[in-house]
Amino acid sequence: MSRLTGLEQELRRNLARFGIAAKGRVDVRAVVEGVLNLVSQTPRLQECTTTSIVEAVHKAVSLGLDPTGTTDEGYITPRKRHAVFVPGYRGLLKIAYENPRVGLIEAHVVRERDHFELRYGDPEGHVVDHRPRLNVAEGEPNVPIGAYAICWWRDCPQPLVEWMTAEEIEANAERSGNRDEDSPWQTDWPEMARKTVLKRLLKYIPLGPQLGVILRERDDDGSLEETETSDVGVADGDSGPNYDALIGQAATLEAIDQVIASLKADEALDSEEKTRLFNLAVKKKRELRAVSV
């Protein structure tokens, strides 16, 4: 069996688990197809373990984000033989806007020839005065000196602002240990700077518990520090789903139907275990149907 074939089987085995985690925010079948296409075109991802790719997909859909890179919400990135999910700038914004208090969020790079002032505590909310220098002559130096992120609330005139110097941003990049020529820190420094300061700003915005896992990762390109992971729905020592847990978690008829579909397609289960789980799922479906009537 080829590695890609094995990955495809594992991803399809986990469709029900992905669907429950996504809660309808992303099309998990489309995500699986996109990830398979991505891996087929990325030799370094093909070297990653199947388990790490499956868990990267699960983490992404749990946050309601697309990990294929096509929407810039996030990316599955190889770290040696371990794949990790890295949220993109758009993905972080999408998560932030789940808080109904958030009106608008922006992040910008400040360059040495820009007009830039910070006035923390301004009672009228005029905290940032940033006027970029637009008419810089060709060849005239205008290097970045830092970046800021700002969040305007719907119910408060005083915005939330975070500022980082270029040196602080570079320190984050150095801690990543990933300064290869094809690293985004080398190819797209402004975008990475905006993402870094936005990530720091989000630590002060009340958001869902899943975001805490991301914010305990390094503010760079996904290199992991000590993070919390959830193994609910994952069988010990296996990347396949824990069907007992998934059946117990299913709260809608659509969710239990996804579990049943995965059970039918899962060739790794022996007939006795599949029968037991199928009967358990059908029982749960009857209970959900009775409640919905």
Side-chain angles (χ1 to χ4, degrees):
M1 180 189 301
S2 71
R3 176 165 298 221
L4 282 175
T5 301
L7 174 62
E8 181 177 4
Q9 289 184 354
E10 286 302 318
L11 288 172
R12 298 197 188 285
R13 284 179 66 196
N14 280 272
L15 272 172
R17 178 178 168 230
F18 295 157
I20 290 174
K23 299 177 182 178
R25 293 172 294 173
V26 291
D27 183 342
V28 295
R29 292 186 181 276
V31 165
V32 166
E33 294 301 326
V35 169
L36 288 170
N37 183 59
L38 173 67
V39 174
S40 70
Q41 299 179 36
T42 312
R44 289 183 63 196
L45 280 177
Q46 294 172 25
E47 297 173 359
C48 294
T49 64
T50 296
T51 299
S52 69
I53 295 175
V54 170
E55 292 313 303
V57 173
H58 183 260
K59 179 178 179 181
V61 299
S62 296
L63 292 164
L65 302 180
D66 171 16
T68 64
T70 56
T71 60
D72 290 329
E73 290 183 359
Y75 312 89
I76 296 179
T77 304
R79 293 289 173 266
K80 296 183 179 179
R81 296 189 66 247
H82 186 81
V84 296
F85 173 67
V86 183
Y89 183 77
R90 289 179 182 271
L92 292 175
L93 287 177
K94 183 177 180 180
I95 293 170
Y97 283 122
E98 291 183 0
N99 185 322
R101 290 189 61 209
V102 172
L104 178 66
I105 294 181
E106 294 182 78
H108 298 281
V109 171
V110 180
R111 299 181 180 273
E112 63 179 353
R113 296 183 181 276
D114 296 354
H115 172 85
F116 182 72
E117 293 182 3
L118 278 175
R119 297 189 294 270
Y120 290 117
D122 188 308
E124 296 182 2
H126 302 305
V127 177
V128 176
D129 183 7
H130 180 206
R131 285 169 276 171
R133 174 79 177 272
L134 302 178
N135 57 341
V136 178
E138 185 176 353
E140 184 179 2
N142 194 20
V143 299
I145 61 172
Y148 69 94
I150 183 167
C151 169
W152 282 274
W153 307 103
R154 296 182 184 276
D155 56 0
C156 177
Q158 187 77 9
L160 179 64
V161 179
E162 185 64 39
W163 157 260
M164 294 179 69
T165 66
E167 290 75 17
E168 290 175 312
I169 294 168
E170 277 295 322
N172 277 268
E174 290 296 334
R175 284 196 296 272
S176 76
N178 183 26
R179 303 304 299 269
D180 300 333
E181 290 184 2
D182 61 348
S183 164
W185 282 109
Q186 302 293 342
T187 61
D188 198 359
W189 192 94
E191 183 72 12
M192 294 301 291
R194 294 168 65 210
K195 176 182 168 183
T196 299
V197 72
L198 174 61
K199 222 173 171 186
R200 182 173 289 190
L201 178 82
L202 292 185
K203 293 180 181 181
Y204 304 102
I205 298 176
L207 298 168
Q210 283 284 350
L211 188 64
V213 175
I214 284 179
L215 295 183
R216 280 187 290 275
E217 295 174 358
R218 294 181 181 176
D219 296 332
D220 44 60
D221 56 355
S223 301
L224 298 180
E225 292 178 337
E226 293 182 4
T227 60
E228 296 177 5
T229 57
S230 173
D231 58 3
V232 175
V234 184
D236 293 338
D238 185 14
S239 62
N242 181 335
Y243 287 110
D244 287 281
L246 290 175
I247 292 169
Q249 291 172 346
T252 65
L253 289 171
E254 180 182 2
I256 197 64
D257 281 339
Q258 288 178 325
V259 177
I260 291 173
S262 290
L263 274 171
K264 290 179 178 178
D266 195 339
E267 298 178 357
L269 292 171
D270 62 48
S271 59
E272 183 177 345
E273 179 68 357
K274 181 176 284 192
T275 299
R276 181 187 74 80
L277 291 167
F278 186 80
N279 289 337
L280 188 63
V282 170
K283 179 181 177 182
K284 181 62 177 285
K285 184 172 182 176
R286 291 198 194 101
E287 294 173 354
L288 290 172
R289 185 176 288 153
V291 172
S292 64
V293 173

